[in-house]
Amino acid sequence: MDALGTPLPSDAAARRAHQEKALQRVDTIRRRIELGGGEKAMARHKAKGKWTARERIAALCDPDSFQELGTFAGEGMHEAEGGVPGAGTVMGVGRIAGREAMIVANDATVKAGAWFPITAKKNLRAQEICLENRLPIVYLVDSAGVFLPRQDEIFPDKEHFGRIFRNNAVLSAMGVPQIAAIMGSCVAGGAYLPIMSDEALIVRGTGSVFLAGSHLVRAAIGEVIDNESLGGADVHCGLSGVCDYAAEDDEDCLRRIREIFASMNHKAAQVFDRIEPREPAFAAEEMPDILPADLGRPWDSRELLARLVDGSEWVEYKPDYGKTLLCGTARVEGWSVGIVANQRTVVKSAGGEMQMGGVIYSDSADKATRFILNCNQRRIPLVFLQDVTGFMVGSKSEHGGIIKDGAKLVNAVANSVVPKITFIVGNSFGAGNYALCGKAYDPRFIYSLPASRIAVMGGQQAANVLLDIRVGQEKRRGHELTAEEKAALLKEIQEKYEREMDPVYAAARLWVDEIIDPREMRSRIDMALRVASHNPDIPPLRTGVLQT
């Protein structure tokens, strides 16, 4: 085993200040999102005898076991409708009576829990995780249904609202437990979600489920009836048989779900190797002292690994070759993992020439491809740490076959059969995002750190390219931009591009599952591999054609 870690860098204080500022900004947004529809909306919700979505989840899960996902979904979106904090849904993975489960809870303080397009995307992401990992799922339903002004963006397409029910059916066929609790309104097409689950509970007095509410029934067929008599707990538990259990209140309902989980088979297969965990020799608390304050400057990823892996020890793969990517095996919380990480220090290659950190060269791509294939052969899960500006460009790289070497790496990542967990710790630009398992390459979970950036290329380069395009367009129209106009236009482009590189912008659109404090990385890897262990079926590795 190779030991990792050295004393903190001389500018550790400046690095920590930068990282903490980024984290504080994200946490400020997070706290606002956690208020849902606001304090007044919460007060009205509680006046009905109901708990909030987060209170329900806290009561359902074992203490300190819930890890939220998709917190920032919808942030800055749908502002014309007053915003939709958290996409009107709280979701994440927690333990219920000792067993990992996905929990999805409507937040009825946000537009009565109505479904926006981003709400559907968030719910589909929850189900995708369950499908990949055969993870049980609990739906805490309290929703007015589809947000009708946006119905064309949520109703008819493949990845729209109907896909939820399709996934209900597929999960059921796979034998994945699905438990639904109707804790508020559940109307129209949304009524199918709980009833397509294995077991459905309903809360007396607050829960109701029907294809059409009392107002629509009166308008459609002239029948006058109230919602409780139409589709309340007594109707569906004693008359229609639609629901399985009636609960007296939220507390009783959540207790009954815990009882259902306690009766399940808890034996998970030992799919991935794990031994007794060890703490790193260097404290995770030091991670903000390691991560760079300037994402354009070199820094040593080994120092981050020293605060991440058990005992601050790993076995590095080809340490003298392809030095802008670090590859090696280690343990995190006892789990055996393979790590692929960008190395941002300026290094000498095996041939003696200097290589820029953060760039993937042919030798780095070749090394990482072979390492990923080895991990798949040995059933070792993969952890990717991204701080990448892309693949190397220029005549020397092109003549050396950078495209085919990059294609080999992308092929290996795309066809990898072991669980993949991705952390964007710095830059995530261009094809580097793809090659190191960005969202398009099916990581089981993908996280961003608060000071990271995601874009097709760096901000300065992109702004200059976009400026050149705009200048050319204006010139063709017969207008030659002045120096002042060019400067103003460049500033406008840069500001827009910077907003779109923000991790909150990415998390709002679910390009990443969550923005996390770097000190959470160990616990997030542990959770991911606990979840992945619910699915023991790992198919044989097949990569297709690889150019040599």
Short mmCIF file of all heavy atoms in Angstrom, two decimals, residues 469 471-479:
data_model
loop_
_atom_site.label_atom_id
_atom_site.label_comp_id
_atom_site.label_asym_id
_atom_site.label_seq_id
_atom_site.Cartn_x
_atom_site.Cartn_y
_atom_site.Cartn_z
N ILE A 469 -18.52 35.11 -32.63
CA ILE A 469 -19.70 34.78 -33.43
C ILE A 469 -20.62 35.99 -33.55
O ILE A 469 -21.10 36.33 -34.65
CB ILE A 469 -20.45 33.58 -32.79
CG1 ILE A 469 -19.60 32.30 -32.91
CG2 ILE A 469 -21.82 33.38 -33.45
CD1 ILE A 469 -20.14 31.13 -32.12
N VAL A 471 -19.86 39.19 -33.16
CA VAL A 471 -19.20 40.23 -33.95
C VAL A 471 -19.36 39.94 -35.43
O VAL A 471 -19.68 40.82 -36.25
CB VAL A 471 -17.71 40.35 -33.57
CG1 VAL A 471 -16.97 41.22 -34.59
CG2 VAL A 471 -17.56 40.94 -32.17
N GLY A 472 -19.17 38.67 -35.82
CA GLY A 472 -19.34 38.27 -37.22
C GLY A 472 -20.77 38.47 -37.71
O GLY A 472 -21.00 38.92 -38.84
N GLN A 473 -21.75 38.15 -36.83
CA GLN A 473 -23.16 38.34 -37.20
C GLN A 473 -23.47 39.80 -37.46
O GLN A 473 -24.14 40.16 -38.45
CB GLN A 473 -24.06 37.78 -36.10
CG GLN A 473 -24.06 36.27 -35.99
CD GLN A 473 -24.80 35.78 -34.76
OE1 GLN A 473 -25.01 36.52 -33.80
NE2 GLN A 473 -25.21 34.52 -34.80
N GLU A 474 -22.99 40.66 -36.56
CA GLU A 474 -23.23 42.10 -36.71
C GLU A 474 -22.54 42.65 -37.96
O GLU A 474 -23.08 43.51 -38.66
CB GLU A 474 -22.74 42.85 -35.46
CG GLU A 474 -23.54 42.57 -34.21
CD GLU A 474 -24.99 43.00 -34.33
OE1 GLU A 474 -25.25 44.07 -34.94
OE2 GLU A 474 -25.86 42.26 -33.85
N LYS A 475 -21.35 42.13 -38.24
CA LYS A 475 -20.61 42.60 -39.41
C LYS A 475 -21.36 42.26 -40.70
O LYS A 475 -21.42 43.07 -41.64
CB LYS A 475 -19.21 41.98 -39.42
CG LYS A 475 -18.25 42.62 -40.41
CD LYS A 475 -16.84 42.10 -40.19
CE LYS A 475 -15.85 42.82 -41.09
NZ LYS A 475 -14.46 42.38 -40.87
N ARG A 476 -21.95 41.04 -40.73
CA ARG A 476 -22.73 40.65 -41.91
C ARG A 476 -23.97 41.51 -42.09
O ARG A 476 -24.50 41.65 -43.19
CB ARG A 476 -23.10 39.16 -41.81
CG ARG A 476 -21.91 38.22 -42.08
CD ARG A 476 -22.36 36.79 -42.25
NE ARG A 476 -22.89 36.23 -41.01
CZ ARG A 476 -22.14 35.67 -40.07
NH1 ARG A 476 -20.82 35.61 -40.22
NH2 ARG A 476 -22.69 35.17 -39.00
N ARG A 477 -24.45 42.08 -40.99
CA ARG A 477 -25.60 42.98 -41.06
C ARG A 477 -25.18 44.41 -41.41
O ARG A 477 -26.01 45.32 -41.46
CB ARG A 477 -26.35 43.00 -39.73
CG ARG A 477 -26.99 41.67 -39.36
CD ARG A 477 -27.87 41.83 -38.12
NE ARG A 477 -28.40 40.56 -37.67
CZ ARG A 477 -28.02 39.93 -36.58
NH1 ARG A 477 -27.07 40.46 -35.80
NH2 ARG A 477 -28.56 38.78 -36.24
N GLY A 478 -23.87 44.61 -41.58
CA GLY A 478 -23.38 45.93 -41.93
C GLY A 478 -23.03 46.80 -40.75
O GLY A 478 -22.81 48.01 -40.90
N HIS A 479 -22.94 46.22 -39.56
CA HIS A 479 -22.64 47.00 -38.36
C HIS A 479 -21.31 46.55 -37.77
O HIS A 479 -21.14 45.39 -37.40
CB HIS A 479 -23.75 46.85 -37.33
CG HIS A 479 -23.45 47.54 -36.02
ND1 HIS A 479 -23.13 48.88 -35.93
CD2 HIS A 479 -23.44 47.06 -34.75
CE1 HIS A 479 -22.92 49.20 -34.66
NE2 HIS A 479 -23.10 48.11 -33.93
#
